[in-house]
Amino acid sequence: MTSPFAHVTESLIRHRGVLGAMVVGLDDGLIVDSTLQIGVNGNAFAALTASLYRKARRSAKAAGFGATTFLELAAEQGRVCTAGGRELVLVVVCESRVNVGLLRVELLRAAEQLP
Amino acid sequence: MANDDIRALSEELAADPTSLAFIPLGEALRRRGDLEVAMRVAMRGAERHPMRPDAHDLVARVSADRGELDRAISEWETVLQLAPSHGGARKGLGFVCFQLGRLEDAAAHLGAALAIDPDDGSLAAALQTVRHALDRQADADRATVAVRRVAATGESESAHPPRGAQYTEALATRPTIALPSDLQDPEADAGALFDDLLEGQRSAAMLLDADGLVLAGRYVAVDGRDLAADIGAQLSGVSDEASRAMRHLGLGAWRQIVFETEAASVAMAPLQEGVVLVAAARPIPLGFVRRVLERAVHRAIAWLEGSR
């Protein structure tokens, strides 16, 4: 059975440098659907990125900046990008070399389909 | 700290109200920005454990975040009565005294804190800036004496308009944090450290220490108020969350966080134990915000090194 989000994750993982794409519950950090390359620990990325996104959302709201729509975490050995709605977020794990601008546009577009 | 951790600490405290779980719980709530709840937790803890310095330290930290500086001072003074070598209390008092314009007190407290923790780079930088501010204040005081002498000898002000204007300006100048002279315009203050990087855009940059306290930079609202302390306190927790996440993700240390909201784009990068943060109104392109962040990091590094 194919989930309604399969086409979203499959589309995102086609980008050069993307290692995994997931739809994740924002409140519980659990994977709803995912397309991952072998070796990517989807559960850890889902849980921790959802937690970071929640934190950013709360902080931005408290600072008077309104709702958060996109987050990118750049690290020494890769990036994680997140965009989302109220209940679900898209989490993409990628290499440092990924085209962040293009990925951001795709993520924001895809996130519009999430509840 | 994750919600689960906070929940676990809350449950632990509920099961045993005498538990010391209120300290990490209150601190986690403070960092998360839940200041009302954090204050309730801290106050109850301090009432139950009045002889514990860390309980009063927690009340002081939350009070400072809420802008209740008098209460923060009182609590940190209590901490020092209980534990005279408490570096956190000295540091907190130093920052609060500086905010209140009590520069000599600020220098004394920061100096004492640095003696306790000589490796804390943010303390060295803060002490240096306070000393610069004291120097400027001394210059202004000398100008005051000179003006009074001129008046006492009966010389009219109109006979020396340039000097009179200069003294008036000096007297009107509120003591500010001066920058290292080899780095920046010596007339600028720490609040203006990043101003020239922003190029008049609707944006702000700040350097925050590990506790989310503002070391340099500012965030000026439309009504002219400097909201840097509030914004910094709210957003610094994001970097804590990122650091925690990085321990489990195998991606190495985090280098940059960028997030977009309805009203703003925010970018932050780690620097020593603190963070450099840039926030810009939403119409400003994200790429520009990232560039400003990179330049702000270089500026902050030079400023911190120059302050040592």
Side-chain angles (χ1 to χ4, degrees):
Chain A
M1 182 176 147
T2 305
S3 93
F5 306 113
H7 69 286
V8 175
T9 58
E10 286 167 5
S11 166
L12 288 168
I13 205 161
R14 288 195 198 107
H15 284 267
R16 184 191 297 268
V18 171
L19 303 173
M22 294 167 274
V23 177
V24 178
L26 182 56
D27 287 335
D28 56 19
L30 295 174
I31 295 174
V32 175
D33 199 352
S34 67
T35 305
L36 302 169
Q37 288 192 12
I38 293 170
V40 175
N41 185 348
N43 289 327
F45 277 103
L48 293 162
T49 309
S51 176
L52 179 62
Y53 195 76
R54 284 198 305 270
K55 177 69 186 175
R57 208 167 68 152
R58 270 197 308 271
S59 300
K61 201 169 180 183
F65 292 162
T68 301
T69 53
F70 173 79
L71 181 145
E72 178 205 349
L73 170 66
E76 290 171 334
Q77 294 157 36
R79 300 174 191 269
V80 185
C81 297
T82 312
R86 288 186 297 275
E87 298 171 26
L88 300 176
V89 290
L90 280 166
V91 176
V92 172
V93 184
C94 38
E95 298 172 344
S96 297
R97 66 186 173 108
V98 75
N99 182 333
V100 176
L102 180 60
L103 186 60
R104 169 179 165 272
V105 170
E106 287 286 320
L107 264 176
L108 290 172
R109 188 181 298 153
E112 290 174 1
Q113 302 170 39
L114 301 179
Chain B
M1 186 175 286
N3 283 343
D4 289 348
D5 298 329
I6 289 177
R7 197 174 301 123
L9 287 167
S10 298
E11 288 169 358
E12 182 182 340
L13 193 60
D16 178 11
T18 64
S19 160
L20 295 179
F22 76 92
I23 294 173
L25 175 61
E27 180 62 16
L29 291 166
R30 182 187 75 83
R31 286 177 176 262
R32 200 169 76 172
D34 292 343
L35 298 181
E36 292 293 329
V37 184
M39 181 56 95
R40 283 203 296 275
V41 169
M43 291 295 290
R44 280 183 202 149
E47 285 168 10
R48 284 188 180 274
H49 304 276
M51 300 308 290
R52 286 198 67 94
D54 42 5
H56 294 282
D57 182 47
L58 177 61
V59 177
R61 284 166 177 265
V62 179
S63 300
D65 282 1
R66 285 161 55 104
E68 298 169 358
L69 302 187
D70 289 340
R71 178 189 263 184
I73 287 175
S74 171
E75 292 293 336
W76 270 320
E77 286 175 346
T78 301
V79 172
L80 291 178
Q81 287 172 6
L82 298 168
S85 61
H86 195 290
R90 291 285 186 191
K91 184 177 181 178
L93 281 167
F95 278 100
V96 170
C97 286
F98 178 75
Q99 284 186 49
L100 294 172
R102 291 165 48 183
L103 299 181
E104 291 183 358
D105 290 341
H109 286 303
L110 291 173
L114 191 60
I116 294 166
D117 185 4
D119 295 330
D120 188 334
S122 69
L123 277 174
L127 181 58
Q128 183 73 9
T129 54
V130 171
R131 285 177 175 159
H132 277 294
L134 277 167
D135 289 344
R136 286 173 58 83
Q137 191 177 49
D139 290 343
D141 290 344
R142 279 194 289 276
T144 307
V145 172
V147 168
R148 284 177 182 153
R149 281 181 183 156
V150 168
T153 56
E155 293 182 47
S156 70
E157 191 172 303
S158 60
H160 302 279
R163 291 182 68 189
Q166 180 185 340
Y167 294 148
T168 305
E169 189 179 341
L171 290 170
T173 304
R174 191 167 164 268
T176 54
I177 301 178
L179 300 170
S181 57
D182 59 345
L183 177 65
Q184 291 293 320
D185 174 2
E187 293 303 311
D189 63 6
L193 180 63
F194 306 110
D195 282 4
D196 63 308
L197 302 179
L198 306 172
E199 300 172 7
Q201 300 276 5
R202 291 167 56 201
S203 53
M206 291 168 264
L207 169 62
L208 308 171
D209 74 1
D211 295 321
L213 296 169
V214 179
L215 284 173
R218 57 185 160 211
Y219 188 101
V220 181
V222 177
D223 60 6
R225 289 180 301 138
D226 186 355
L227 302 178
D230 293 339
I231 302 288
Q234 297 294 352
L235 297 182
S236 65
V238 176
S239 64
D240 296 335
E241 189 71 26
S243 299
R244 190 179 72 88
M246 301 320 292
R247 287 198 289 272
H248 304 279
L249 294 181
L251 295 179
W254 71 278
R255 287 181 168 165
Q256 200 176 83
I257 299 171
V258 176
F259 57 96
E260 290 179 287
T261 72
E262 291 169 329
S265 298
V266 179
M268 58 178 70
L271 181 58
Q272 296 179 1
E273 292 180 348
V275 64
V276 177
L277 188 153
V278 174
R282 188 61 195 272
I284 295 174
L286 194 57
F288 176 82
V289 178
R290 292 167 66 138
R291 293 291 295 274
V292 170
L293 176 68
E294 289 167 8
R295 292 163 65 190
V297 168
H298 290 303
R299 173 70 54 84
I301 290 170
W303 183 72
L304 286 170
E305 288 176 350
S307 297
R308 285 191 177 147

mmCIF file of all heavy atoms in Angstrom, chain B residues 155-180:
data_model
loop_
_atom_site.group_PDB
_atom_site.id
_atom_site.type_symbol
_atom_site.label_atom_id
_atom_site.label_comp_id
_atom_site.label_asym_id
_atom_site.label_seq_id
_atom_site.Cartn_x
_atom_site.Cartn_y
_atom_site.Cartn_z
ATOM 1 N N GLU B 155 34.608 83.091 32.098
ATOM 2 C CA GLU B 155 34.674 83.103 30.646
ATOM 3 C C GLU B 155 33.318 82.709 30.085
ATOM 4 O O GLU B 155 32.719 81.725 30.524
ATOM 5 C CB GLU B 155 35.726 82.118 30.158
ATOM 6 C CG GLU B 155 37.138 82.530 30.523
ATOM 7 C CD GLU B 155 38.139 81.553 29.965
ATOM 8 O OE1 GLU B 155 38.001 81.217 28.788
ATOM 9 O OE2 GLU B 155 39.016 81.105 30.705
ATOM 10 N N SER B 156 32.825 83.504 29.159
ATOM 11 C CA SER B 156 31.524 83.173 28.588
ATOM 12 C C SER B 156 31.645 81.972 27.668
ATOM 13 O O SER B 156 32.684 81.751 27.051
ATOM 14 C CB SER B 156 30.981 84.366 27.798
ATOM 15 O OG SER B 156 31.744 84.549 26.638
ATOM 16 N N GLU B 157 30.572 81.195 27.611
ATOM 17 C CA GLU B 157 30.577 80.010 26.751
ATOM 18 C C GLU B 157 30.715 80.394 25.287
ATOM 19 O O GLU B 157 31.338 79.700 24.502
ATOM 20 C CB GLU B 157 29.274 79.239 26.961
ATOM 21 C CG GLU B 157 29.293 77.876 26.319
ATOM 22 C CD GLU B 157 28.076 77.075 26.697
ATOM 23 O OE1 GLU B 157 27.849 76.888 27.902
ATOM 24 O OE2 GLU B 157 27.368 76.658 25.780
ATOM 25 N N SER B 158 30.128 81.588 24.960
ATOM 26 C CA SER B 158 30.161 81.981 23.557
ATOM 27 C C SER B 158 31.577 82.306 23.094
ATOM 28 O O SER B 158 31.863 82.301 21.901
ATOM 29 C CB SER B 158 29.253 83.200 23.337
ATOM 30 O OG SER B 158 29.712 84.269 24.151
ATOM 31 N N ALA B 159 32.476 82.568 24.064
ATOM 32 C CA ALA B 159 33.851 82.861 23.677
ATOM 33 C C ALA B 159 34.576 81.608 23.205
ATOM 34 O O ALA B 159 35.597 81.713 22.543
ATOM 35 C CB ALA B 159 34.602 83.475 24.860
ATOM 36 N N HIS B 160 34.065 80.474 23.596
ATOM 37 C CA HIS B 160 34.713 79.214 23.211
ATOM 38 C C HIS B 160 33.653 78.225 22.709
ATOM 39 O O HIS B 160 33.493 77.150 23.263
ATOM 40 C CB HIS B 160 35.426 78.581 24.414
ATOM 41 C CG HIS B 160 36.452 79.480 25.028
ATOM 42 N ND1 HIS B 160 37.711 79.621 24.519
ATOM 43 C CD2 HIS B 160 36.377 80.313 26.099
ATOM 44 C CE1 HIS B 160 38.408 80.488 25.263
ATOM 45 N NE2 HIS B 160 37.599 80.925 26.221
ATOM 46 N N PRO B 161 32.951 78.588 21.660
ATOM 47 C CA PRO B 161 31.859 77.707 21.232
ATOM 48 C C PRO B 161 32.296 76.298 20.853
ATOM 49 O O PRO B 161 31.623 75.347 21.219
ATOM 50 C CB PRO B 161 31.254 78.456 20.030
ATOM 51 C CG PRO B 161 32.287 79.446 19.617
ATOM 52 C CD PRO B 161 33.068 79.783 20.835
ATOM 53 N N PRO B 162 33.441 76.120 20.197
ATOM 54 C CA PRO B 162 33.763 74.738 19.839
ATOM 55 C C PRO B 162 33.975 73.868 21.075
ATOM 56 O O PRO B 162 33.469 72.767 21.147
ATOM 57 C CB PRO B 162 35.062 74.890 19.036
ATOM 58 C CG PRO B 162 35.077 76.313 18.583
ATOM 59 C CD PRO B 162 34.420 77.073 19.703
ATOM 60 N N ARG B 163 34.723 74.406 22.054
ATOM 61 C CA ARG B 163 34.972 73.584 23.246
ATOM 62 C C ARG B 163 33.681 73.366 24.024
ATOM 63 O O ARG B 163 33.420 72.289 24.524
ATOM 64 C CB ARG B 163 36.013 74.260 24.136
ATOM 65 C CG ARG B 163 37.393 74.265 23.527
ATOM 66 C CD ARG B 163 38.392 74.897 24.479
ATOM 67 N NE ARG B 163 38.601 74.069 25.645
ATOM 68 C CZ ARG B 163 39.283 74.476 26.711
ATOM 69 N NH1 ARG B 163 39.797 75.677 26.738
ATOM 70 N NH2 ARG B 163 39.448 73.677 27.737
ATOM 71 N N GLY B 164 32.871 74.426 24.122
ATOM 72 C CA GLY B 164 31.609 74.284 24.844
ATOM 73 C C GLY B 164 30.735 73.212 24.212
ATOM 74 O O GLY B 164 30.171 72.362 24.899
ATOM 75 N N ALA B 165 30.668 73.253 22.888
ATOM 76 C CA ALA B 165 29.865 72.252 22.178
ATOM 77 C C ALA B 165 30.419 70.857 22.413
ATOM 78 O O ALA B 165 29.687 69.892 22.614
ATOM 79 C CB ALA B 165 29.851 72.576 20.683
ATOM 80 N N GLN B 166 31.739 70.779 22.422
ATOM 81 C CA GLN B 166 32.377 69.468 22.620
ATOM 82 C C GLN B 166 32.058 68.920 24.008
ATOM 83 O O GLN B 166 31.718 67.742 24.169
ATOM 84 C CB GLN B 166 33.883 69.638 22.465
ATOM 85 C CG GLN B 166 34.662 68.339 22.641
ATOM 86 C CD GLN B 166 36.154 68.588 22.608
ATOM 87 O OE1 GLN B 166 36.600 69.610 22.111
ATOM 88 N NE2 GLN B 166 36.897 67.657 23.151
ATOM 89 N N TYR B 167 32.134 69.806 25.013
ATOM 90 C CA TYR B 167 31.867 69.356 26.373
ATOM 91 C C TYR B 167 30.399 68.953 26.535
ATOM 92 O O TYR B 167 30.080 67.969 27.188
ATOM 93 C CB TYR B 167 32.203 70.465 27.371
ATOM 94 C CG TYR B 167 33.667 70.789 27.433
ATOM 95 C CD1 TYR B 167 34.100 72.081 27.709
ATOM 96 C CD2 TYR B 167 34.630 69.810 27.200
ATOM 97 C CE1 TYR B 167 35.436 72.384 27.766
ATOM 98 C CE2 TYR B 167 35.970 70.112 27.253
ATOM 99 C CZ TYR B 167 36.374 71.393 27.532
ATOM 100 O OH TYR B 167 37.689 71.691 27.589
ATOM 101 N N THR B 168 29.517 69.773 25.940
ATOM 102 C CA THR B 168 28.099 69.447 26.029
ATOM 103 C C THR B 168 27.834 68.067 25.448
ATOM 104 O O THR B 168 27.125 67.250 26.010
ATOM 105 C CB THR B 168 27.262 70.490 25.261
ATOM 106 O OG1 THR B 168 27.594 71.766 25.769
ATOM 107 C CG2 THR B 168 25.783 70.213 25.420
ATOM 108 N N GLU B 169 28.494 67.818 24.320
ATOM 109 C CA GLU B 169 28.323 66.521 23.670
ATOM 110 C C GLU B 169 28.869 65.410 24.561
ATOM 111 O O GLU B 169 28.267 64.359 24.721
ATOM 112 C CB GLU B 169 29.059 66.522 22.330
ATOM 113 C CG GLU B 169 28.776 65.303 21.491
ATOM 114 C CD GLU B 169 29.517 65.357 20.170
ATOM 115 O OE1 GLU B 169 29.929 66.456 19.769
ATOM 116 O OE2 GLU B 169 29.673 64.293 19.583
ATOM 117 N N ALA B 170 30.027 65.698 25.163
ATOM 118 C CA ALA B 170 30.633 64.679 26.033
ATOM 119 C C ALA B 170 29.734 64.384 27.224
ATOM 120 O O ALA B 170 29.558 63.238 27.624
ATOM 121 C CB ALA B 170 31.993 65.168 26.526
ATOM 122 N N LEU B 171 29.126 65.439 27.771
ATOM 123 C CA LEU B 171 28.269 65.229 28.924
ATOM 124 C C LEU B 171 27.004 64.484 28.557
ATOM 125 O O LEU B 171 26.448 63.730 29.357
ATOM 126 C CB LEU B 171 27.893 66.596 29.534
ATOM 127 C CG LEU B 171 29.049 67.318 30.225
ATOM 128 C CD1 LEU B 171 28.640 68.739 30.563
ATOM 129 C CD2 LEU B 171 29.460 66.576 31.484
ATOM 130 N N ALA B 172 26.550 64.746 27.340
ATOM 131 C CA ALA B 172 25.310 64.089 26.918
ATOM 132 C C ALA B 172 25.534 62.637 26.546
ATOM 133 O O ALA B 172 24.598 61.862 26.442
ATOM 134 C CB ALA B 172 24.712 64.832 25.722
ATOM 135 N N THR B 173 26.801 62.283 26.340
ATOM 136 C CA THR B 173 27.089 60.922 25.903
ATOM 137 C C THR B 173 26.943 59.964 27.062
ATOM 138 O O THR B 173 27.648 60.062 28.047
ATOM 139 C CB THR B 173 28.528 60.824 25.354
ATOM 140 O OG1 THR B 173 28.656 61.775 24.319
ATOM 141 C CG2 THR B 173 28.801 59.432 24.835
ATOM 142 N N ARG B 174 26.011 59.032 26.917
ATOM 143 C CA ARG B 174 25.842 58.026 27.950
ATOM 144 C C ARG B 174 27.020 57.075 27.883
ATOM 145 O O ARG B 174 27.477 56.735 26.800
ATOM 146 C CB ARG B 174 24.540 57.268 27.674
ATOM 147 C CG ARG B 174 24.091 56.375 28.782
ATOM 148 C CD ARG B 174 22.667 55.954 28.492
ATOM 149 N NE ARG B 174 22.321 54.813 29.322
ATOM 150 C CZ ARG B 174 22.481 53.568 28.938
ATOM 151 N NH1 ARG B 174 22.976 53.315 27.778
ATOM 152 N NH2 ARG B 174 22.145 52.584 29.745
ATOM 153 N N PRO B 175 27.549 56.661 29.019
ATOM 154 C CA PRO B 175 28.660 55.717 28.968
ATOM 155 C C PRO B 175 28.305 54.499 28.126
ATOM 156 O O PRO B 175 27.265 53.884 28.324
ATOM 157 C CB PRO B 175 28.846 55.317 30.437
ATOM 158 C CG PRO B 175 28.278 56.445 31.200
ATOM 159 C CD PRO B 175 27.158 56.985 30.368
ATOM 160 N N THR B 176 29.148 54.204 27.176
ATOM 161 C CA THR B 176 28.872 53.071 26.290
ATOM 162 C C THR B 176 30.079 52.151 26.291
ATOM 163 O O THR B 176 31.148 52.504 26.777
ATOM 164 C CB THR B 176 28.603 53.540 24.856
ATOM 165 O OG1 THR B 176 29.702 54.350 24.457
ATOM 166 C CG2 THR B 176 27.318 54.336 24.782
ATOM 167 N N ILE B 177 29.898 50.966 25.719
ATOM 168 C CA ILE B 177 30.997 50.013 25.654
ATOM 169 C C ILE B 177 31.845 50.366 24.446
ATOM 170 O O ILE B 177 31.368 50.332 23.320
ATOM 171 C CB ILE B 177 30.465 48.584 25.522
ATOM 172 C CG1 ILE B 177 29.577 48.269 26.716
ATOM 173 C CG2 ILE B 177 31.598 47.603 25.417
ATOM 174 C CD1 ILE B 177 28.964 46.907 26.647
ATOM 175 N N ALA B 178 33.087 50.706 24.665
ATOM 176 C CA ALA B 178 33.950 51.063 23.541
ATOM 177 C C ALA B 178 34.561 49.814 22.930
ATOM 178 O O ALA B 178 34.768 48.813 23.609
ATOM 179 C CB ALA B 178 35.060 51.985 24.015
ATOM 180 N N LEU B 179 34.857 49.882 21.659
ATOM 181 C CA LEU B 179 35.478 48.757 20.966
ATOM 182 C C LEU B 179 36.991 48.894 21.024
ATOM 183 O O LEU B 179 37.509 49.981 21.243
ATOM 184 C CB LEU B 179 35.041 48.770 19.499
ATOM 185 C CG LEU B 179 33.559 48.647 19.268
ATOM 186 C CD1 LEU B 179 33.247 48.910 17.821
ATOM 187 C CD2 LEU B 179 33.094 47.281 19.678
ATOM 188 N N PRO B 180 37.711 47.812 20.838
ATOM 189 C CA PRO B 180 39.155 47.927 20.751
ATOM 190 C C PRO B 180 39.524 48.914 19.655
ATOM 191 O O PRO B 180 39.001 48.833 18.537
ATOM 192 C CB PRO B 180 39.596 46.507 20.374
ATOM 193 C CG PRO B 180 38.477 45.641 20.826
ATOM 194 C CD PRO B 180 37.240 46.456 20.699
#
